[in-house]
Amino acid sequence: MWTSFFEAIGSLFSDVLMKPMDWLAELELSNWWVANAITWIFIIICSVAFVYWLKRLSFFASTKEDDQDTTAHSFLK
């Protein structure tokens, strides 16, 4: 019973969930730029989010709204 259960999980991952990765691996052999476009899109999204986060941090630091007191939590006393 357990053998077929784990074989079903293995089949799910290798035959179903990894098909897009297999497709990208085949695409990379023909066109590197198209295959890595998804990676570049994620890099751009993460960079924009990081810049936004840093701007919000500097905004709260300049308005003194952030609590830098280490006694803000009772377990740090």
Side-chain angles (χ1 to χ4, degrees):
M1 177 190 150
W2 287 106
T3 304
S4 61
F5 174 72
F6 287 114
E7 286 176 354
I9 291 175
S11 175
L12 171 71
F13 277 92
S14 62
D15 297 336
V16 177
L17 298 177
M18 289 299 163
K19 283 297 179 191
M21 296 300 153
D22 294 338
W23 177 74
L24 283 174
E26 292 174 10
L27 181 62
E28 184 182 15
L29 297 176
S30 63
N31 192 339
W32 183 88
W33 290 102
V34 175
N36 287 298
I38 296 172
T39 304
W40 289 107
I41 290 169
F42 283 130
I43 289 172
I44 291 169
I45 290 171
C46 289
S47 299
V48 169
F50 186 71
V51 169
Y52 173 77
W53 178 54
L54 287 177
K55 284 186 178 185
R56 293 299 291 175
L57 281 177
S58 66
F59 170 75
F60 284 114
S62 66
T63 60
K64 306 283 190 225
E65 286 187 47
D66 57 342
D67 188 10
Q68 294 287 331
D69 186 18
T70 58
T71 59
H73 299 286
S74 61
F75 61 86
L76 293 175
K77 290 182 181 181

